[in-house]
Amino acid sequence: MAELTDRKLYLGPKLRVLRRELGLNQTRMAEELGVSPSYLNHLERNQRPLTAQMLLRLANTYDIDIRDFTASPAEAGPGELSEILSDALVRDIGIARDEILEVAENYPGVSEAIARFYRALGDLRRLPGEAADRSGPAPLVAPIDWLREIIARAGNHFAELDAGAEAIAAQMSDDPALLQAELRARLKERHNMSVQVMRADVIAGSLRHYDMHRRRLMLSERLPASGRLFAIAYHLCAQELAEAIGAQVARAAPPDEDSRRLATIALTNYAAAALIMPYDRFRQAAEQNRHDIALLRDRFGVSTEQVAHRLTSLNRTGARGIPFFMAKIDRAGILSKRFDGEAWPFARYGGLCPRWDASDARLPDRVETQLIETPDGRRFVTLAMALPQGTAAGADGGRSRSVIALGCEAKHAERIVHADAIDTEKDDAIAVGPTCHVCERRDCPDRALPPVTRALDLHSYERTIAPYPFRRV
């Protein structure tokens, strides 16, 4: 707490957001905190700094984590807003960066509204022909984008589901092989559901299928042990945590039926992972073994992708893990899945930086580690792992190559065994940008597009090393 008294904290917007989330007016909150409404109003308008005493009152009254509340605003806010306002539709206005920072830091609700409108605009741009043919109103936000926003807002952590899954796991074995047998027995005894492994040609095109009439869960023989364990856990959670999952989906207020179904599936997947990898046991194993991916995978009987997913969800107050971000990248370098974490260094819209080598990982049992640096000087450690091929039931019985990449700020490197060969302070880092169309690195030889924020500076008498030379101002 001493460090907080050494600097003035102006956290008015955060205080205002907290009050609104609690459903309180200024008079009621002032009464609960033992201050006058006018003083609280001054705090919310950043006309007075928050004192250490006031922070303690907030923490004790509303059970908040002081470290989270006083943390500097995530770069994603100003970064995302800057990216949106560089769109060709509005970039001629020339909005100054200090104006963007002021809006992002002091008016997060405005930033969120602009981001939602931009996502809706992106959907409409992708559907130019369909918009005129629809008989009814078109959804303004694609279900996948809506779900990603809901998960990001929750920090990919759903406390109720973790608690419910932990309660079930406490009655089960820690051994993955025994756990699978116990989950099967529980499905049969409590829910009259049987589990049967089927030949791939019998349930062609599916990895699992639930026969509602016979109450039989059919699993493809192509599923590895980790996939079978997860499928059984998924269906058990769908039965026993249905109320908690339904309540979480209802609070998210899905805009349409597709979004509701997608959210239900995603949260049931989350619960299944929490059952197989119970929060406290998994977090302690990760910390004690310095986030050894292979060890965690083998200890809990899960896949590399499942371990990576779980590591991004360790956001419980008072027992947080490393704030990892995660990406799933196909062989063309296209992002098919993303969990932003606290410090996603790339753009929210568009592709990845071509200088990030994560998609080059080839061997499933090898972790490729890279040190990268963004234009603002922040450094990140990233871990890339190729997923095994041939484990999904495609038309040819296999799956195309894809990569799972985890990353975090370099300050966490000493807690990660895979980063031991990297000196995060002295080693050269790969210079990356958000994505080509909003990146202003002038000397990048791998640039695929010019930045939309700058005018080109082309001359017939000169060929620069970096493609698409552009003016500084």
Side-chain angles (χ1 to χ4, degrees), residues 226-294:
S226 60
R228 295 178 190 182
L229 176 61
F230 194 88
I232 297 168
Y234 176 96
H235 281 270
L236 182 65
C237 289
Q239 296 293 319
E240 299 196 8
L241 298 179
E243 186 175 344
I245 292 169
Q248 189 69 57
V249 172
R251 283 195 292 272
D256 51 52
E257 181 61 17
D258 284 347
S259 299
R260 186 194 67 77
R261 291 183 181 182
L262 193 64
T264 301
I265 292 171
L267 292 177
T268 308
N269 281 332
Y270 181 98
L275 170 55
I276 300 170
M277 296 171 277
Y279 193 102
D280 280 335
R281 186 157 63 88
F282 183 81
R283 185 186 66 83
Q284 289 169 13
E287 290 289 353
Q288 291 168 2
N289 296 283
R290 301 182 61 225
H291 300 84
D292 187 320
I293 303 296

Side-chain angles (χ1 to χ4, degrees), residues 355-377:
R355 293 180 60 78
W356 187 34
D357 295 335
S359 60
D360 290 340
R362 292 288 188 272
L363 301 176
D365 293 324
R366 180 172 176 176
V367 178
E368 302 284 352
T369 309
Q370 188 177 19
L371 181 65
I372 62 175
E373 183 173 319
T374 55
D376 59 3

Side-chain angles (χ1 to χ4, degrees), residues 21 32 37 40 139-140 200 262 311 315 365 385 398 458-459:
E21 287 178 347
E32 293 179 354
L40 181 61
L140 288 181
L262 193 64
L311 286 173
N315 201 24
D365 293 324
M385 301 141 282
L458 301 173
H459 302 284

Side-chain angles (χ1 to χ4, degrees), residues 24-44:
L24 303 175
N25 58 32
Q26 284 188 339
T27 302
R28 178 66 182 277
M29 176 176 263
E31 181 182 333
E32 293 179 354
L33 293 174
V35 297
S36 68
S38 62
Y39 179 68
L40 181 61
N41 185 52
H42 284 311
L43 292 177
E44 289 192 1

